[in-house]
Amino acid sequence: MTDSDLQTSAAPDIRTEPDDAALAALLHSLSGLLDCPVAALWRAETLDAPLALIAADPACDALDGYAAEGEQTLVGRAFSRQESQSVGEVAGNGEDARLGDLGFRAGLAAPVTWNDEHLGVIAGLDRAEGRTFDAHAVRTIELGAQSAAALIVAERFQAQKQVIETTLHTEQDRLAGLQAAVRRVLEQPDVNVNLIEIAEAYQGLGWEQVILVVYDDNGSADQLITLGVQENRREALREGIVPRQTWSLFGTGQLEQYRVGALYFIPATETGMHWHPDDLLFAPLRLGQGRIVGAIRLGDPVNGLRPQPPVLRVLDVLASQTTYLVENARLFEEKTHALEELADQVEELSMIHRADRELSSHLNMDQVMTLTMDWALRRTGADTGLLALTTQDQRGLVPFTTMGYLGTDILASTEQNPWPLDRGMLGRALTTGQIQIANEMANDDPDALMPGARSQISVPLSMRGEVLGVLSLISSEPDTFGEQNTSFLERLARRAAVALDNARLFRQSEQLADDMAVLYSASRTITATLERDTVLQRIAQSIAVALEASSAVILNYRVDRAEAEVLAVYRVGTARDAQEELPPVKSTVPLGTLEPVADAIKHNRAIVLRIADPSLPEPIRASMEASKVRVNLLLPLVAQDELIGVVLVNESRQDRIFTANEIAKAEALASQASIALRQSMLYQEVLQLDKIKSEMIRMASHDLRNPLNTILGYLDLVSISLEQVDVGPEIKEYMGSLRRSTRTMQSLIDDLLTLERVESERESDWQTFDLAGLVTEVVETEFSSAHLKKQALTYQRVQGLPQVYGSIMQLRQAITNLVGNAIKYTPEGGTIDVTLSANDDQVHLSVTDTGYGISPDRQTRIFERFYRAREPGTETIPGTGLGLSLVKTVVERHGGLVWFESTKGQGSTFHFWLPAAHNNKDR
């Protein structure tokens, strides 16, 4: 049989028959080609592995252990040396004693290889003596070895194919189950149901025990799902499904060699295919940011085998899906929470906006506080609300607005007895300026503002560093005031504080306006007269009424006697319940013996005395009880650093605390009263001095007139006598000088008397009259004087001049002085023009002359008393310097104005205007 015959005879068997039959057919064909009764095939996985008989003639079963002796056998040498080997006359040459023992005399063996892989040895054996194998036999057996290698590899491929097909079917089933589980997870919005689906999917992939845990933000087990775990182990698993040491190694990255995707398989032993109870298979559920949010642990595989990479890759897919599910659930939860927060914020901002709009639209404090309370209760759902304001002296809190049921202690707080700063959450909120919250209050909590309160919050209302009040809300349910409510109340408190401050400032401005009106009215009342007794009575009345007290007493405090004299007493008519006993006018009160009172008077400060004050000295208490007075406000009256009196404001109807504003108002009134009282005293002094002056002028005028008249009479007699005697010119000059001096003194006395009459004349004697007629009378009277000096005196007036209101005597004297001065200070042949006109309800008079004029350096003093502007040519003109001063006094007393223009050597013009009668009467 040729080589081709060998291949042809073996090929059909290889292609169509089972593997064992194909090998048997190959060995049968090979034995025929070699003309040997036996052909056999040994198999080994590696070069060092022992050979095992896998195909031979059934009659040669003894060959099974033949190759175990290694190179001592023909088959062993062919396998180890990897080349063909032959033996002959075995029993004789001893090359293969074992073969001879089996009854064979010759043999030929060749190694079976495939792509340098040592698969085994094929051999042909003969029992005939003297048998040898030539090169053709060697070639034949080597071809047989190649055919055997092809059959072995085909068998292996077939086995691998079956394994791959089986594995593929298994993986397809697993993937189908995995896809179904993922589909159910995606279709189910409930995360708990999804986690159970995933756990069941792991069981469907061949794992009896499945543990899945999801952690919360604090690292505690939030959700725990167990399948195939005994119930008594569930709670223990919450502490950790992965040993702490393993977690530590995982955290430091020392488990990377055990990782397949997201899974970690840590075998308890290094070798073996079967699952060990201590084997650990887990998958951390890690979010994209690296945070661990859960873990999965698998155990007890159904097939009892440790998982291989293909299995782990499938499990990794499901683990990734679990992480995706948890992350989506977290994101969905965060999104839902964010949407809820956003909705709450939108609602809160809407409420804040509406609260802003409503709060800013009101300046009424009651309405502002009511709105604030309404918004706070509406948002938080609290049962009761309290808005308390600080007292003016910052001693405590007083309820302003309340809603709901409150305890009696807080409701009993008043301005006189406020809620103390060191008591409860209200006091702490006021003193610290921080929000105070209690969400788990005991039934007997002393801080509670409402019986049965379980939650309470106190929010300070602060503005520019000052706490204006405290907003407190109380609830009968615990945990009412969470972060959102606290944030809302904080923002509401800021806006309420602004609105409260605006309302308070508006109220203060209104109060200030009222106080200013009271002060203005009282000031006008006090200063409306200068009569001392009337001023004293009005001071007592104004202060008592302005402070809404029951009475007031004005005292004249005598420091030297330490006592006070009663100057005025006023009892408010509307104070019907007043019971105080007021001292009579001009009686004395031992005020200086009361030390606090004397000290207050000495240092010029107001002092409040209350019988309810435990620190009040007993002498003062006894004095007040005797007078049936419950509260005294003592105000010193000081003017120009001089104590001129004391005001004692009394309140007998109730205990009262005078506020700082009230004391300030009283001090302002006292200051006005001091000025008015001082003015009345000065007025009395001026009246007395004026009376003395008038008496002196009258006495001096009367005492001087008679001697002057006597002197003038004797001078006239002497002059007549001298005319009959021839005397020298010197004597005549002396006599003329004496006569001129005497007449000057007489003119001076007349001017003084005229000026005194002008200043002392009462306005009650004034009347309305026609000024044009008065000017006409004066001009006609002075016409003769002008004619003697050959002067032209003219008078011009317009028609329809309004009348004036005043003194005819005073204005006649003023006009006479102006026209007379113009005649005196104008040389002979000059001109004097008198003009009377009207303009804007004013009557205007001007007197123009062509006289000597006045030098500019003398013009500033022209209206001073006793001043005469001496100009060249005027030395001999008589005058006292009182004429123009009298003109200025008269015109200004009538509400007018006087002025002049003058040029030296050219003349002067003197003007004045007076208001029309209907204007001057109102003045």
Side-chain angles (χ1 to χ4, degrees):
M1 184 177 292
T2 63
D3 295 342
S4 60
D5 294 335
L6 174 61
Q7 295 176 354
T8 302
S9 62
D13 297 331
I14 293 174
R15 290 195 302 272
T16 60
E17 297 184 8
D19 296 337
D20 292 343
L23 289 173
L26 174 63
L27 293 177
H28 178 73
S29 299
L30 183 60
S31 66
L33 292 172
L34 295 177
D35 193 18
C36 293
V38 175
L41 177 65
W42 288 264
R43 176 85 181 272
E45 292 297 333
T46 63
L47 189 61
D48 297 331
L51 294 169
L53 183 67
I54 63 170
D57 191 325
C60 299
D61 291 339
L63 292 174
D64 188 22
Y66 163 70
E69 298 183 11
E71 292 193 7
Q72 296 181 6
T73 64
L74 173 67
V75 174
R77 287 196 302 275
F79 185 71
S80 60
R81 297 176 184 178
Q82 286 298 299
E83 60 182 15
S84 299
Q85 300 290 321
S86 65
V87 294
E89 297 296 333
V90 175
N93 58 23
E95 291 180 349
D96 194 346
R98 177 62 177 155
L99 190 60
D101 293 340
L102 294 175
F104 294 100
R105 298 299 179 184
L108 179 60
V112 178
T113 61
W114 183 268
N115 292 337
D116 295 332
E117 181 182 359
H118 309 308
L119 302 178
V121 176
I122 190 169
L125 303 176
D126 197 350
R127 294 185 178 91
E129 293 183 3
R131 173 69 186 273
T132 59
F133 295 96
D134 55 11
H136 178 72
V138 172
R139 176 59 179 166
T140 299
I141 199 167
E142 288 178 352
L143 289 174
Q146 293 177 3
S147 299
L151 290 174
I152 292 172
V153 171
E155 179 185 3
R156 180 191 295 174
F157 285 165
Q158 186 65 28
Q160 290 178 352
K161 176 184 176 184
Q162 292 178 353
V163 170
I164 290 172
E165 288 179 349
T166 303
T167 303
L168 182 60
H169 286 304
T170 303
E171 293 299 323
Q172 288 177 343
D173 294 339
R174 289 177 179 173
L175 288 175
L178 181 61
Q179 289 175 348
V182 171
R183 189 180 302 109
R184 289 194 299 272
V185 166
L186 295 176
E187 293 173 354
Q188 176 58 253
D190 191 339
V191 65
N192 293 322
V193 176
N194 287 339
L195 293 175
I196 294 174
E197 289 281 355
I198 289 176
E200 291 177 349
Y202 276 113
Q203 276 196 325
L205 292 176
W207 297 89
E208 292 289 344
Q209 187 181 87
V210 181
I211 306 169
L212 195 155
V213 64
V214 178
Y215 303 127
D216 58 18
D217 293 335
N218 298 322
S220 301
D222 183 33
Q223 295 169 297
L224 178 65
I225 298 173
T226 59
L227 299 179
V229 178
Q230 297 178 356
E231 188 65 29
N232 57 2
R233 291 188 57 210
R234 271 185 59 85
E235 292 304 317
L237 290 173
R238 287 186 178 275
E239 298 298 324
I241 65 175
V242 179
R244 293 183 180 275
Q245 184 178 5
T246 304
W247 272 125
S248 299
L249 295 174
F250 166 77
T252 58
Q254 300 181 43
L255 298 181
E256 289 303 306
Q257 68 270 26
Y258 302 108
R259 184 168 71 90
V260 177
L263 289 161
Y264 291 83
F265 174 58
I266 306 174
T269 59
E270 293 295 334
T271 60
M273 299 293 293
H274 293 280
W275 180 264
H276 192 277
D278 294 330
D279 287 348
L280 179 62
L281 176 60
F282 74 98
L285 302 181
R286 190 201 308 261
L287 295 184
Q289 298 84 356
R291 185 164 63 95
I292 302 297
V293 296
I296 302 171
R297 180 171 177 176
L298 305 176
D300 297 340
V302 175
N303 60 6
L305 299 177
R306 288 176 171 173
Q308 297 302 313
V311 175
L312 293 176
R313 281 191 288 272
V314 175
L315 298 177
D316 177 45
V317 173
L318 196 54
S320 300
Q321 183 63 33
T322 307
T323 303
Y324 169 76
L325 171 66
V326 173
E327 184 170 14
N328 278 356
R330 290 292 178 93
L331 292 175
F332 181 76
E333 182 180 355
E334 290 176 0
K335 177 183 177 182
T336 303
H337 183 66
L339 290 175
E340 292 175 353
E341 285 188 346
L342 183 60
D344 288 341
Q345 290 175 2
V346 170
E347 181 183 3
E348 181 177 323
L349 289 174
S350 176
M351 293 183 71
I352 287 291
H353 176 68
R354 284 182 287 167
D356 267 342
R357 186 171 61 251
E358 292 190 23
L359 288 175
S360 60
S361 63
H362 298 285
L363 288 175
N364 182 282
M365 190 176 293
D366 295 337
Q367 195 159 4
V368 167
M369 297 299 96
T370 302
L371 287 172
T372 301
M373 184 68 69
D374 178 60
W375 284 111
L377 292 176
R378 192 188 311 177
R379 171 66 177 174
T380 61
D383 300 316
T384 299
L386 163 70
L387 207 157
L389 301 182
T390 55
T391 58
Q392 290 188 354
D393 54 7
Q394 303 293 316
R395 292 188 302 116
L397 291 160
V398 178
F400 189 88
T401 301
T402 60
M403 291 185 181
Y405 178 69
L406 287 168
T408 56
D409 288 352
I410 183 64
L411 292 178
S413 300
T414 62
E415 187 78 23
Q416 291 75 25
N417 185 30
W419 184 271
L421 301 180
D422 58 352
R423 183 176 176 186
M425 294 174 61
L426 273 179
R428 290 196 298 274
L430 178 62
T431 53
T432 63
Q434 303 293 326
I435 297 177
Q436 304 295 318
I437 304 175
N439 276 320
E440 290 290 342
M441 301 179 71
N443 291 330
D444 57 349
D445 196 320
D447 283 357
L449 298 176
M450 178 188 78
R454 297 299 306 279
S455 301
Q456 183 171 314
I457 184 170
S458 295
V459 184
L461 306 180
S462 301
M463 187 67 183
R464 294 186 294 273
E466 177 188 0
V467 180
L468 308 179
V470 177
L471 171 65
S472 287
L473 302 179
I474 309 99
S475 174
S476 58
E477 298 294 331
D479 300 321
T480 299
F481 306 108
E483 182 178 352
Q484 290 184 348
N485 284 338
T486 303
S487 175
F488 172 79
L489 291 176
E490 187 176 9
R491 286 192 285 272
L492 180 63
R494 286 197 295 267
R495 287 154 174 80
V498 174
L500 175 60
D501 189 54
N502 291 338
R504 186 184 65 169
L505 292 175
F506 179 71
R507 174 176 287 188
Q508 289 177 352
S509 64
E510 285 186 325
Q511 184 63 43
L512 182 61
D514 293 342
D515 291 346
M516 292 297 293
V518 170
L519 290 174
Y520 177 71
S521 176
S523 177
R524 290 194 61 183
T525 301
I526 293 171
T527 58
T529 180
L530 290 174
E531 295 296 332
R532 183 169 181 269
D533 293 341
T534 306
V535 169
L536 288 170
Q537 191 65 25
R538 290 183 177 182
I539 289 173
Q541 176 184 354
S542 298
I543 293 180
V545 172
L547 296 180
E548 299 180 357
S550 55
S551 64
V553 179
I554 308 295
L555 304 169
N556 181 21
Y557 182 69
R558 300 178 181 177
V559 180
D560 54 342
R561 300 183 183 179
E563 63 182 11
E565 178 187 3
V566 179
L567 300 178
V569 175
Y570 181 80
R571 186 190 300 274
V572 179
T574 56
R576 298 180 180 178
D577 298 333
Q579 302 175 358
E580 66 264 34
E581 295 181 359
L582 300 177
V585 177
K586 295 185 178 180
S587 64
T588 58
V589 178
L591 209 59
T593 60
L594 306 176
E595 183 176 350
V597 175
D599 184 69
I601 294 174
K602 179 180 178 181
H603 294 91
N604 185 25
R605 59 182 178 84
I607 182 174
V608 178
L609 306 173
R610 296 173 55 236
I611 286 185
D613 186 359
S615 63
L616 186 69
E618 284 304 320
I620 299 179
R621 186 187 306 277
S623 176
M624 294 175 65
E625 288 177 347
S627 301
K628 299 181 181 179
V629 175
R630 303 180 70 175
V631 182
N632 273 142
L633 173 61
L634 185 143
L635 298 164
L637 299 177
V638 178
Q640 297 179 346
D641 297 330
E642 178 186 355
L643 180 69
I644 58 176
V646 175
V647 179
L648 199 62
V649 182
N650 305 310
E651 181 56 71
S652 62
R653 294 167 294 179
Q654 61 183 352
D655 183 28
R656 175 178 177 181
I657 294 179
F658 285 98
T659 65
N661 288 338
E662 289 174 331
I663 294 176
K665 181 166 62 174
E667 289 176 339
L669 281 172
S671 177
Q672 291 286 337
S674 300
I675 296 172
L677 187 57
R678 182 65 175 170
Q679 287 176 343
S680 72
M681 295 169 63
L682 293 175
Y683 176 68
Q684 297 300 324
E685 294 176 1
V686 169
L687 288 180
Q688 187 65 27
L689 291 173
D690 188 64
K691 183 177 180 181
I692 293 172
K693 180 205 72 170
S694 298
E695 291 296 328
M696 289 182 64
I697 290 175
R698 290 191 184 98
M699 290 174 60
S701 300
H702 181 271
D703 293 342
L704 289 174
R705 274 180 181 274
N706 291 333
L708 283 175
N709 289 333
T710 301
I711 292 172
L712 285 173
Y714 281 110
L715 284 175
D716 289 339
L717 291 175
V718 171
S719 296
I720 293 172
S721 299
L722 291 176
E723 288 178 356
Q724 298 175 0
V725 179
D726 187 14
V727 295
E730 292 183 356
I731 298 299
K732 292 182 179 180
E733 179 64 24
Y734 293 155
M735 293 301 295
S737 179
L738 286 173
R739 187 178 287 106
R740 286 193 300 273
S741 297
T742 304
R743 293 193 181 279
T744 299
M745 292 181 64
Q746 191 176 30
S747 298
L748 181 60
I749 292 171
D750 291 340
D751 287 345
L752 285 172
L753 287 173
T754 302
L755 185 60
E756 193 277 333
R757 284 197 305 271
V758 168
E759 292 180 346
S760 62
E761 184 180 12
R762 296 183 179 180
E763 292 187 8
S764 59
D765 298 331
W766 290 10
Q767 58 184 311
T768 301
F769 63 94
D770 183 11
L771 185 64
L774 181 61
V775 174
T776 301
E777 292 178 9
V778 172
V779 170
E780 290 177 351
T781 302
E782 295 295 327
F783 187 79
S784 59
S785 298
H787 181 70
L788 290 174
K789 296 185 69 175
K790 300 178 182 180
Q791 296 172 341
L793 176 59
T794 63
Y795 172 44
Q796 296 180 357
R797 66 175 183 176
V798 298
Q799 298 298 321
L801 290 171
Q803 291 185 321
V804 298
Y805 177 77
S807 169
I808 296 176
M809 182 271 294
Q810 292 180 23
L811 289 173
R812 177 185 285 115
Q813 187 65 46
I815 298 170
T816 299
N817 285 358
L818 288 178
V819 176
N821 276 356
I823 293 171
K824 283 197 302 182
Y825 288 96
T826 300
E828 289 187 1
T831 303
I832 295 94
D833 296 323
V834 179
T835 304
L836 188 64
S837 61
N839 181 26
D840 296 334
D841 289 338
Q842 294 176 354
V843 179
H844 177 244
L845 175 71
S846 65
V847 179
T848 304
D849 63 59
T850 58
Y852 300 102
I854 305 170
S855 301
D857 56 340
R858 294 184 173 93
Q859 291 182 8
T860 57
R861 301 182 59 190
I862 196 67
F863 290 109
E864 291 184 8
R865 291 185 181 183
F866 304 108
Y867 178 76
R868 297 189 65 195
R870 301 289 184 177
E871 298 290 345
T874 65
E875 296 86 353
T876 59
I877 298 176
T880 61
L882 291 174
L884 290 178
S885 174
L886 185 142
V887 172
K888 184 174 187 296
T889 300
V890 170
V891 170
E892 290 181 350
R893 287 193 68 184
H894 285 75
L897 180 66
V898 61
W899 73 100
F900 72 97
E901 301 103 14
S902 180
T903 303
K904 184 179 178 180
Q906 296 182 14
S908 304
T909 301
F910 282 83
H911 309 264
F912 73 76
W913 63 261
L914 296 175
H918 63 274
N919 290 332
N920 206 24
K921 275 187 176 182
D922 296 337
R923 180 182 67 84

